[in-house]
Amino acid sequence: MTEKNVGLDNPELNQEANAIWERISGPWDDEMGPIGESFFTQVSDPVADRLLDLKSGEVALDIACGAGRYARHMAEKGVTTIGVDHAEEFLSRARAMSEKSGIDVKFKHVDATDFDQLIALGEEKFDAINCTMGLMNMASLTPLARAIPRLLKPGGRFVFIVAHPVFGRASARRVVEDDHSTGTQRHSITSWDYLDATPDMGFSHRNQTEKQYFFDRPIEMLLNVFFEHGMVMDRLEEPAFHDEMKGSRSTAWANFKLMPFFMAVRLRRIAN
């Protein structure tokens, strides 16, 4: 592995990173689930919907599906949907919510850092694959990048959304400056280690009791691993929070209107 690719794959951390999510998935969903109903539905979901452009009758896969919120959303569009995650607590909650809502989604235990487990889902089976806020929690990306073009039908699309590699990375610092002459505030971001893909540990929310791994990677690393395995990009978006969304704290992300928290990418398998 060249120095440039340090951080792309960290197989020695796969087991530990997954084990942490097994322990924190329940409390994480209790805390973030309600937040996600506004945080994601108002900002990232419209982008994912547009980029995936799902059609009734298609077959779709949601990778790192968590408690299945977006997988159910896809299924409501008349799409045959499979959701996969490695955390059993997430899957248990996903199945219970789907049964309660009457929305038909199949949920499977799959580690997205395991090429063989991914391929077992079925080659050339999917019209579209989604992964929202999952890649930066995966210790290794090459197994997924190898699998995606084989899981997709020719011309199929893969959409991923991540915390913005510059502004949303775990080490970025949100800054609020008061201008006493105008009575206004300026919101900005400092990001000092963008090219450093060394795994980091931290918290996703303030009440989290155990640190998790963050695998923040620069944009070139995120994209090139998929390019190298035959995917092409035809869309990139950087959604920010809408003007009507307000955060209770001055440093809440919803108050940073000119800084994108997400980066959304659509990649396609070239038809052959």
Side-chain angles (χ1 to χ4, degrees), residues 22-53:
E22 289 286 358
R23 294 192 294 271
I24 70 172
S25 55
W28 187 94
D29 188 54
D30 291 339
E31 180 75 20
M32 298 297 288
I35 295 174
E37 291 304 315
S38 60
F39 193 79
F40 294 117
T41 57
Q42 295 186 47
V43 184
S44 65
D45 284 5
V47 177
D49 289 348
R50 184 169 58 253
L51 297 187
L52 287 166
D53 192 24

mmCIF file of all heavy atoms in Angstrom, residues 22-53:
data_model
loop_
_atom_site.group_PDB
_atom_site.id
_atom_site.type_symbol
_atom_site.label_atom_id
_atom_site.label_comp_id
_atom_site.label_asym_id
_atom_site.label_seq_id
_atom_site.Cartn_x
_atom_site.Cartn_y
_atom_site.Cartn_z
ATOM 1 N N GLU A 22 -22.030 -2.808 17.303
ATOM 2 C CA GLU A 22 -22.943 -3.770 17.930
ATOM 3 C C GLU A 22 -23.366 -3.279 19.318
ATOM 4 O O GLU A 22 -24.517 -3.440 19.727
ATOM 5 C CB GLU A 22 -22.273 -5.146 18.044
ATOM 6 C CG GLU A 22 -22.087 -5.889 16.740
ATOM 7 C CD GLU A 22 -23.388 -6.462 16.180
ATOM 8 O OE1 GLU A 22 -24.444 -6.321 16.836
ATOM 9 O OE2 GLU A 22 -23.358 -7.036 15.087
ATOM 10 N N ARG A 23 -22.428 -2.649 20.030
ATOM 11 C CA ARG A 23 -22.715 -2.187 21.391
ATOM 12 C C ARG A 23 -23.490 -0.868 21.409
ATOM 13 O O ARG A 23 -24.321 -0.647 22.296
ATOM 14 C CB ARG A 23 -21.411 -2.037 22.184
ATOM 15 C CG ARG A 23 -20.682 -3.349 22.434
ATOM 16 C CD ARG A 23 -19.570 -3.178 23.445
ATOM 17 N NE ARG A 23 -18.489 -2.325 22.987
ATOM 18 C CZ ARG A 23 -17.419 -2.762 22.318
ATOM 19 N NH1 ARG A 23 -17.304 -4.055 22.016
ATOM 20 N NH2 ARG A 23 -16.465 -1.930 21.948
ATOM 21 N N ILE A 24 -23.229 0.018 20.457
ATOM 22 C CA ILE A 24 -23.814 1.356 20.541
ATOM 23 C C ILE A 24 -25.029 1.542 19.645
ATOM 24 O O ILE A 24 -25.684 2.584 19.707
ATOM 25 C CB ILE A 24 -22.773 2.451 20.201
ATOM 26 C CG1 ILE A 24 -22.416 2.424 18.709
ATOM 27 C CG2 ILE A 24 -21.531 2.308 21.083
ATOM 28 C CD1 ILE A 24 -21.534 3.593 18.271
ATOM 29 N N SER A 25 -25.364 0.551 18.823
ATOM 30 C CA SER A 25 -26.431 0.743 17.828
ATOM 31 C C SER A 25 -27.779 1.071 18.464
ATOM 32 O O SER A 25 -28.510 1.939 17.969
ATOM 33 C CB SER A 25 -26.553 -0.487 16.924
ATOM 34 O OG SER A 25 -26.739 -1.668 17.685
ATOM 35 N N GLY A 26 -28.125 0.376 19.563
ATOM 36 C CA GLY A 26 -29.401 0.655 20.215
ATOM 37 C C GLY A 26 -29.480 2.063 20.762
ATOM 38 O O GLY A 26 -30.387 2.836 20.405
ATOM 39 N N PRO A 27 -28.558 2.447 21.659
ATOM 40 C CA PRO A 27 -28.565 3.822 22.179
ATOM 41 C C PRO A 27 -28.418 4.868 21.074
ATOM 42 O O PRO A 27 -29.020 5.941 21.152
ATOM 43 C CB PRO A 27 -27.361 3.843 23.131
ATOM 44 C CG PRO A 27 -27.184 2.412 23.543
ATOM 45 C CD PRO A 27 -27.556 1.606 22.341
ATOM 46 N N TRP A 28 -27.626 4.558 20.047
ATOM 47 C CA TRP A 28 -27.448 5.501 18.940
ATOM 48 C C TRP A 28 -28.780 5.750 18.241
ATOM 49 O O TRP A 28 -29.153 6.897 17.956
ATOM 50 C CB TRP A 28 -26.430 4.945 17.944
ATOM 51 C CG TRP A 28 -26.034 5.909 16.855
ATOM 52 C CD1 TRP A 28 -24.961 6.758 16.842
ATOM 53 C CD2 TRP A 28 -26.704 6.110 15.600
ATOM 54 N NE1 TRP A 28 -24.924 7.469 15.680
ATOM 55 C CE2 TRP A 28 -25.981 7.096 14.894
ATOM 56 C CE3 TRP A 28 -27.841 5.553 15.006
ATOM 57 C CZ2 TRP A 28 -26.369 7.547 13.631
ATOM 58 C CZ3 TRP A 28 -28.234 6.005 13.747
ATOM 59 C CH2 TRP A 28 -27.491 6.982 13.075
ATOM 60 N N ASP A 29 -29.536 4.678 17.984
ATOM 61 C CA ASP A 29 -30.823 4.827 17.302
ATOM 62 C C ASP A 29 -31.839 5.540 18.195
ATOM 63 O O ASP A 29 -32.648 6.337 17.708
ATOM 64 C CB ASP A 29 -31.361 3.466 16.882
ATOM 65 C CG ASP A 29 -32.587 3.578 16.002
ATOM 66 O OD1 ASP A 29 -32.519 4.288 14.979
ATOM 67 O OD2 ASP A 29 -33.615 2.959 16.325
ATOM 68 N N ASP A 30 -31.782 5.277 19.509
ATOM 69 C CA ASP A 30 -32.675 5.978 20.430
ATOM 70 C C ASP A 30 -32.438 7.484 20.380
ATOM 71 O O ASP A 30 -33.373 8.282 20.458
ATOM 72 C CB ASP A 30 -32.461 5.490 21.866
ATOM 73 C CG ASP A 30 -32.929 4.054 22.075
ATOM 74 O OD1 ASP A 30 -33.758 3.580 21.278
ATOM 75 O OD2 ASP A 30 -32.447 3.419 23.032
ATOM 76 N N GLU A 31 -31.166 7.865 20.259
ATOM 77 C CA GLU A 31 -30.810 9.276 20.267
ATOM 78 C C GLU A 31 -30.976 9.918 18.888
ATOM 79 O O GLU A 31 -31.528 11.008 18.751
ATOM 80 C CB GLU A 31 -29.357 9.450 20.729
ATOM 81 C CG GLU A 31 -28.860 10.876 20.777
ATOM 82 C CD GLU A 31 -29.392 11.657 21.962
ATOM 83 O OE1 GLU A 31 -29.827 11.026 22.945
ATOM 84 O OE2 GLU A 31 -29.360 12.902 21.904
ATOM 85 N N MET A 32 -30.474 9.221 17.850
ATOM 86 C CA MET A 32 -30.407 9.810 16.523
ATOM 87 C C MET A 32 -31.633 9.536 15.671
ATOM 88 O O MET A 32 -31.880 10.247 14.698
ATOM 89 C CB MET A 32 -29.157 9.293 15.799
ATOM 90 C CG MET A 32 -27.858 9.662 16.476
ATOM 91 S SD MET A 32 -27.563 11.446 16.537
ATOM 92 C CE MET A 32 -27.178 11.775 14.812
ATOM 93 N N GLY A 33 -32.399 8.512 16.022
ATOM 94 C CA GLY A 33 -33.582 8.189 15.234
ATOM 95 C C GLY A 33 -34.529 9.364 15.089
ATOM 96 O O GLY A 33 -34.884 9.768 13.965
ATOM 97 N N PRO A 34 -34.966 9.969 16.203
ATOM 98 C CA PRO A 34 -35.854 11.134 16.099
ATOM 99 C C PRO A 34 -35.207 12.304 15.365
ATOM 100 O O PRO A 34 -35.861 13.012 14.611
ATOM 101 C CB PRO A 34 -36.129 11.489 17.565
ATOM 102 C CG PRO A 34 -35.903 10.210 18.315
ATOM 103 C CD PRO A 34 -34.769 9.535 17.595
ATOM 104 N N ILE A 35 -33.895 12.508 15.608
ATOM 105 C CA ILE A 35 -33.191 13.591 14.926
ATOM 106 C C ILE A 35 -33.192 13.336 13.420
ATOM 107 O O ILE A 35 -33.381 14.241 12.608
ATOM 108 C CB ILE A 35 -31.749 13.728 15.447
ATOM 109 C CG1 ILE A 35 -31.758 14.144 16.912
ATOM 110 C CG2 ILE A 35 -30.959 14.746 14.624
ATOM 111 C CD1 ILE A 35 -30.387 14.155 17.551
ATOM 112 N N GLY A 36 -33.000 12.080 13.056
ATOM 113 C CA GLY A 36 -32.938 11.720 11.650
ATOM 114 C C GLY A 36 -34.197 12.047 10.890
ATOM 115 O O GLY A 36 -34.170 12.297 9.682
ATOM 116 N N GLU A 37 -35.331 12.059 11.594
ATOM 117 C CA GLU A 37 -36.585 12.349 10.921
ATOM 118 C C GLU A 37 -36.589 13.755 10.322
ATOM 119 O O GLU A 37 -37.284 14.014 9.363
ATOM 120 C CB GLU A 37 -37.759 12.167 11.887
ATOM 121 C CG GLU A 37 -38.006 10.729 12.278
ATOM 122 C CD GLU A 37 -38.233 9.834 11.061
ATOM 123 O OE1 GLU A 37 -38.981 10.231 10.157
ATOM 124 O OE2 GLU A 37 -37.639 8.744 11.027
ATOM 125 N N SER A 38 -35.828 14.673 10.900
ATOM 126 C CA SER A 38 -35.723 16.010 10.315
ATOM 127 C C SER A 38 -34.372 16.206 9.639
ATOM 128 O O SER A 38 -34.283 16.752 8.538
ATOM 129 C CB SER A 38 -35.918 17.085 11.391
ATOM 130 O OG SER A 38 -34.941 16.960 12.402
ATOM 131 N N PHE A 39 -33.306 15.740 10.316
ATOM 132 C CA PHE A 39 -31.943 15.924 9.822
ATOM 133 C C PHE A 39 -31.775 15.320 8.435
ATOM 134 O O PHE A 39 -31.247 15.940 7.518
ATOM 135 C CB PHE A 39 -30.990 15.276 10.816
ATOM 136 C CG PHE A 39 -29.547 15.638 10.633
ATOM 137 C CD1 PHE A 39 -29.067 16.843 11.087
ATOM 138 C CD2 PHE A 39 -28.666 14.750 10.035
ATOM 139 C CE1 PHE A 39 -27.730 17.176 10.939
ATOM 140 C CE2 PHE A 39 -27.329 15.075 9.895
ATOM 141 C CZ PHE A 39 -26.862 16.289 10.349
ATOM 142 N N PHE A 40 -32.258 14.093 8.263
ATOM 143 C CA PHE A 40 -32.091 13.413 6.985
ATOM 144 C C PHE A 40 -33.254 13.673 6.031
ATOM 145 O O PHE A 40 -33.039 13.901 4.839
ATOM 146 C CB PHE A 40 -31.915 11.913 7.201
ATOM 147 C CG PHE A 40 -30.646 11.561 7.916
ATOM 148 C CD1 PHE A 40 -30.666 10.956 9.159
ATOM 149 C CD2 PHE A 40 -29.414 11.837 7.351
ATOM 150 C CE1 PHE A 40 -29.492 10.648 9.825
ATOM 151 C CE2 PHE A 40 -28.232 11.535 8.006
ATOM 152 C CZ PHE A 40 -28.274 10.929 9.254
ATOM 153 N N THR A 41 -34.477 13.616 6.530
ATOM 154 C CA THR A 41 -35.616 13.745 5.623
ATOM 155 C C THR A 41 -35.657 15.104 4.943
ATOM 156 O O THR A 41 -36.123 15.225 3.812
ATOM 157 C CB THR A 41 -36.954 13.511 6.355
ATOM 158 O OG1 THR A 41 -37.062 14.418 7.448
ATOM 159 C CG2 THR A 41 -37.034 12.088 6.884
ATOM 160 N N GLN A 42 -35.135 16.138 5.611
ATOM 161 C CA GLN A 42 -35.182 17.469 5.024
ATOM 162 C C GLN A 42 -33.951 17.830 4.215
ATOM 163 O O GLN A 42 -34.005 18.754 3.393
ATOM 164 C CB GLN A 42 -35.384 18.520 6.131
ATOM 165 C CG GLN A 42 -36.720 18.410 6.844
ATOM 166 C CD GLN A 42 -36.952 19.541 7.812
ATOM 167 O OE1 GLN A 42 -36.742 20.705 7.475
ATOM 168 N NE2 GLN A 42 -37.364 19.227 9.023
ATOM 169 N N VAL A 43 -32.835 17.141 4.447
ATOM 170 C CA VAL A 43 -31.601 17.545 3.775
ATOM 171 C C VAL A 43 -31.069 16.461 2.835
ATOM 172 O O VAL A 43 -30.960 16.676 1.622
ATOM 173 C CB VAL A 43 -30.514 17.933 4.801
ATOM 174 C CG1 VAL A 43 -29.269 18.449 4.074
ATOM 175 C CG2 VAL A 43 -31.036 18.989 5.764
ATOM 176 N N SER A 44 -30.746 15.291 3.364
ATOM 177 C CA SER A 44 -30.101 14.295 2.515
ATOM 178 C C SER A 44 -31.080 13.460 1.703
ATOM 179 O O SER A 44 -30.784 13.076 0.564
ATOM 180 C CB SER A 44 -29.212 13.373 3.358
ATOM 181 O OG SER A 44 -29.987 12.603 4.257
ATOM 182 N N ASP A 45 -32.251 13.163 2.263
ATOM 183 C CA ASP A 45 -33.192 12.294 1.543
ATOM 184 C C ASP A 45 -33.612 12.865 0.189
ATOM 185 O O ASP A 45 -33.661 12.118 -0.805
ATOM 186 C CB ASP A 45 -34.430 12.015 2.390
ATOM 187 C CG ASP A 45 -34.170 11.000 3.499
ATOM 188 O OD1 ASP A 45 -33.009 10.589 3.656
ATOM 189 O OD2 ASP A 45 -35.125 10.633 4.204
ATOM 190 N N PRO A 46 -33.949 14.159 0.090
ATOM 191 C CA PRO A 46 -34.314 14.680 -1.228
ATOM 192 C C PRO A 46 -33.208 14.522 -2.267
ATOM 193 O O PRO A 46 -33.475 14.284 -3.443
ATOM 194 C CB PRO A 46 -34.615 16.162 -0.951
ATOM 195 C CG PRO A 46 -35.007 16.203 0.490
ATOM 196 C CD PRO A 46 -34.140 15.170 1.150
ATOM 197 N N VAL A 47 -31.951 14.639 -1.812
ATOM 198 C CA VAL A 47 -30.820 14.464 -2.726
ATOM 199 C C VAL A 47 -30.703 12.999 -3.143
ATOM 200 O O VAL A 47 -30.546 12.686 -4.326
ATOM 201 C CB VAL A 47 -29.509 14.943 -2.078
ATOM 202 C CG1 VAL A 47 -28.323 14.694 -3.011
ATOM 203 C CG2 VAL A 47 -29.608 16.411 -1.714
ATOM 204 N N ALA A 48 -30.793 12.085 -2.164
ATOM 205 C CA ALA A 48 -30.725 10.655 -2.480
ATOM 206 C C ALA A 48 -31.862 10.259 -3.420
ATOM 207 O O ALA A 48 -31.654 9.508 -4.379
ATOM 208 C CB ALA A 48 -30.777 9.831 -1.195
ATOM 209 N N ASP A 49 -33.064 10.769 -3.154
ATOM 210 C CA ASP A 49 -34.204 10.463 -4.016
ATOM 211 C C ASP A 49 -33.927 10.891 -5.450
ATOM 212 O O ASP A 49 -34.194 10.148 -6.406
ATOM 213 C CB ASP A 49 -35.463 11.182 -3.520
ATOM 214 C CG ASP A 49 -36.002 10.604 -2.225
ATOM 215 O OD1 ASP A 49 -35.552 9.522 -1.812
ATOM 216 O OD2 ASP A 49 -36.881 11.249 -1.619
ATOM 217 N N ARG A 50 -33.411 12.094 -5.608
ATOM 218 C CA ARG A 50 -33.158 12.633 -6.941
ATOM 219 C C ARG A 50 -32.061 11.851 -7.668
ATOM 220 O O ARG A 50 -32.172 11.537 -8.856
ATOM 221 C CB ARG A 50 -32.786 14.110 -6.828
ATOM 222 C CG ARG A 50 -32.591 14.809 -8.156
ATOM 223 C CD ARG A 50 -32.496 16.311 -7.997
ATOM 224 N NE ARG A 50 -31.421 16.743 -7.111
ATOM 225 C CZ ARG A 50 -31.599 17.224 -5.890
ATOM 226 N NH1 ARG A 50 -32.800 17.296 -5.351
ATOM 227 N NH2 ARG A 50 -30.559 17.628 -5.165
ATOM 228 N N LEU A 51 -30.993 11.527 -6.954
ATOM 229 C CA LEU A 51 -29.874 10.841 -7.601
ATOM 230 C C LEU A 51 -30.189 9.373 -7.898
ATOM 231 O O LEU A 51 -29.766 8.834 -8.913
ATOM 232 C CB LEU A 51 -28.620 10.949 -6.729
ATOM 233 C CG LEU A 51 -28.081 12.358 -6.488
ATOM 234 C CD1 LEU A 51 -26.740 12.300 -5.763
ATOM 235 C CD2 LEU A 51 -27.923 13.128 -7.790
ATOM 236 N N LEU A 52 -30.912 8.722 -7.000
ATOM 237 C CA LEU A 52 -31.281 7.323 -7.231
ATOM 238 C C LEU A 52 -32.327 7.209 -8.334
ATOM 239 O O LEU A 52 -32.301 6.260 -9.126
ATOM 240 C CB LEU A 52 -31.817 6.691 -5.946
ATOM 241 C CG LEU A 52 -30.781 6.377 -4.870
ATOM 242 C CD1 LEU A 52 -31.471 6.087 -3.544
ATOM 243 C CD2 LEU A 52 -29.910 5.188 -5.280
ATOM 244 N N ASP A 53 -33.270 8.157 -8.364
ATOM 245 C CA ASP A 53 -34.311 8.191 -9.397
ATOM 246 C C ASP A 53 -34.981 6.824 -9.551
ATOM 247 O O ASP A 53 -35.060 6.255 -10.644
ATOM 248 C CB ASP A 53 -33.711 8.644 -10.732
ATOM 249 C CG ASP A 53 -34.777 8.969 -11.765
ATOM 250 O OD1 ASP A 53 -35.916 9.283 -11.372
ATOM 251 O OD2 ASP A 53 -34.476 8.874 -12.975
#
